[in-house]
Amino acid sequence: MIGMRVPLLAALVMLGCGVAALSADKSKSAAPAKQDVGEQFIVHEWGTFSTFSGSDGKHLKFYPDDRDLPQFVHSRHRNIKGGLPDVFVSLETPVLYFYTDRAVTASVRVDFPKGRMTEWYPQASRPPSDSLTWENLKIAPKDGPTFPREKGKSRYYAARETDATPLQIADDKGKSEQEKFLFYRGVADLQMPLSVQALGRGAFKVKNTAREALPAFVLVRVQDSKVRFKVYDHLSQGAEMDAQEPQEESTTEKLESAVAELLMREGLYEKEARAMVKTWSFDWFGENGTRILYLVPSRMTDDLLPLRITPKPSALLRVLVGRHDVLTPERESDIDVLVKKLDGPSPGEAKSADRGLNELGRYRWPAQEASRARLKGLKEPRREKK
């Protein structure tokens, strides 16, 4: 009996090894294969953080304009339960471009922990709130892809004028949406790193409150199609400097080229930089007013908008621009005159003042209420100190 047990035991051991090996093979085959994305899987992003303040540098809430997008773009209105009807920051038109020489299936998640996502395209895989996720995103070179387009003009389409690889995603019902980029927008109540005081007569104090240097900024003044601008390089962490509006007039074309050069200096491809400038040309260089355009530090971009992409890109570049509109003391005086007429007894003057204030666009209401507060302060008698 003892002699029979040894072969039997050996057989059981061999059977066990075979089962273990079979189990290991099954486990190995069940594990997802790592994608070979080749040497080129490059991701570039551009977008804008917009803010607004009075001449004293105090940031004011405003109402972002979300009516400039095609109807096919998905959205959840910011003014819903728990939403943000007016905000300190409008996150505008970030787009993510992908470049690959072979088909890639990717997962992309972007978070806005201090804000809320409001628009996006193509459709996200999960209901958005403070984040967006696109799963099973198919990115592949393709001849003659068909992208959605509606009649009428929209700044949205300018972002397609690049060499990025087309992408598509299908929902649970099999409906497919394709585009040349991932698009999203959002709103937030947070403080951006630039503080601007308008001192009058074209003089400004600009301060960087970020934990790292601002690579560059551009002071822009537009009045009735007349453009003045000056480029400033590098503003160190915590530094404050004087900026002066130039006296000589320039052209929109020169301003567009200067901003595009700054974007390319940060690493964007030329077509990407031109697409961004074209997207925002009217707002940045056509709307009357004074504003500063600055390059957001990369660490701040990653902190405000954490981004995760699987498989990991061979190169990732994020270039976001801060747009800060500021009222000068001269402009505030003009607004005070209009508000007096608006609140005055003459219906005709009130109607004319209303039209004038509408030229402030999305900044009208905060500028108007700030003016009323100034006028009320002027009417109140000063109390003598005892």
Side-chain angles (χ1 to χ4, degrees):
M1 293 293 292
I2 295 176
M4 292 178 61
R5 288 179 181 175
V6 174
L8 179 60
L9 181 60
L12 289 172
V13 171
M14 292 178 66
L15 178 61
C17 291
V19 171
L22 180 61
S23 180
D25 287 343
K26 285 184 177 180
S27 175
K28 186 176 181 180
S29 63
K34 185 177 180 181
Q35 282 193 86
D36 179 11
V37 297
E39 294 182 359
Q40 177 176 288
F41 181 43
I42 298 170
V43 181
H44 283 189
E45 179 181 29
W46 57 253
T48 307
F49 290 102
S50 290
T51 52
F52 173 60
S53 75
S55 63
D56 59 359
K58 182 180 178 180
H59 285 225
L60 299 172
K61 287 190 173 185
F62 61 97
Y63 297 85
D65 185 0
D66 53 8
R67 299 168 297 173
D68 60 340
L69 295 173
Q71 291 297 311
F72 60 77
V73 172
H74 306 286
S75 66
R76 68 185 299 277
H77 200 275
R78 65 183 183 277
N79 193 16
I80 63 172
K81 184 178 180 180
L84 300 168
D86 58 342
V87 295
F88 283 118
V89 176
S90 176
L91 172 63
E92 297 168 347
T93 318
V95 293
L96 282 161
Y97 295 114
F98 300 83
Y99 299 87
T100 178
D101 52 4
R102 64 186 70 186
V104 176
T105 300
S107 172
V108 179
R109 172 169 174 160
V110 60
D111 291 283
F112 199 10
K114 295 182 179 180
R116 182 177 297 273
M117 299 297 188
T118 54
E119 288 93 14
W120 63 94
Y121 193 84
Q123 183 61 282
S125 306
R126 299 174 185 173
S129 54
D130 61 352
S131 68
L132 283 166
T133 301
W134 291 272
E135 295 174 344
N136 295 317
L137 186 68
K138 311 294 184 182
I139 308 167
K142 184 179 179 182
D143 293 330
T146 302
F147 303 128
R149 194 177 187 97
E150 295 175 355
K151 293 182 179 179
K153 294 181 179 180
S154 173
R155 75 186 66 195
Y156 177 91
Y157 304 116
R160 291 177 179 166
E161 298 175 12
T162 70
D163 297 321
T165 306
L167 53 86
Q168 65 176 359
I169 192 168
D171 60 19
D172 295 338
K173 298 179 180 179
K175 181 182 177 182
S176 178
E177 294 179 340
Q178 53 186 2
E179 190 46 278
K180 215 169 188 180
F181 47 78
L182 292 181
F183 163 88
Y184 64 98
R185 275 189 182 178
V187 293
D189 278 342
L190 56 89
Q191 291 297 312
M192 293 301 291
L194 194 78
S195 172
V196 183
Q197 285 183 287
L199 307 178
R201 297 185 179 181
F204 302 85
K205 281 195 175 297
V206 182
K207 184 174 182 178
N208 171 22
T209 60
R211 291 178 296 168
E212 57 185 313
L214 300 183
F217 69 90
V218 187
L219 174 60
V220 180
R221 169 69 186 278
V222 181
Q223 185 63 44
D224 300 328
S225 300
K226 296 179 181 178
V227 177
R228 298 176 183 177
F229 75 93
K230 186 173 181 179
V231 178
Y232 292 84
D233 278 329
H234 191 86
L235 184 57
S236 300
Q237 171 189 353
E240 184 178 72
M241 68 176 297
D242 295 325
Q244 182 67 46
E245 175 189 314
Q247 295 296 317
E248 62 276 8
E249 291 182 7
S250 187
T251 65
T252 301
E253 291 75 19
K254 289 181 179 179
L255 178 52
E256 289 176 346
S257 294
V259 174
E261 287 293 334
L262 288 178
L263 296 173
M264 287 186 282
R265 192 176 76 180
E266 290 301 293
L268 287 183
Y269 298 143
E270 181 175 357
K271 286 187 178 181
E272 294 172 337
R274 301 290 179 192
M276 185 179 193
V277 168
K278 185 175 181 179
T279 298
W280 294 112
S281 180
F282 176 77
D283 301 70
W284 289 356
F285 318 134
E287 288 184 355
N288 282 350
T290 303
R291 59 195 56 98
I292 285 182
L293 306 174
Y294 61 98
L295 297 169
V296 178
S298 58
R299 191 192 310 174
M300 171 162 276
T301 296
D302 292 336
D303 287 345
L304 295 178
L305 292 170
L307 177 65
R308 284 180 283 178
I309 302 173
T310 306
K312 186 178 179 180
S314 55
L316 172 62
L317 176 72
R318 311 182 76 188
V319 181
L320 271 79
V321 171
R323 169 191 171 176
H324 183 77
D325 284 71
V326 57
L327 296 176
T328 64
E330 294 87 349
R331 185 68 177 118
E332 287 177 334
S333 295
D334 293 339
I335 293 170
D336 289 348
V337 171
L338 292 173
V339 170
K340 285 180 182 179
K341 292 180 179 179
L342 182 72
D343 297 339
S346 170
E349 287 189 343
K351 188 174 182 179
S352 176
D354 184 65
R355 288 195 298 269
L357 290 168
N358 279 338
E359 293 180 4
L360 290 164
R362 60 183 179 175
Y363 303 130
R364 171 183 172 164
W365 301 109
Q368 182 174 300
E369 291 309 303
S371 173
R372 283 178 172 150
R374 284 194 300 273
L375 295 171
K376 182 180 179 181
L378 290 174
K379 291 178 182 178
E380 292 179 349
R382 294 182 180 179
R383 296 181 179 179
E384 295 184 1
K385 294 182 180 181
K386 293 183 180 180

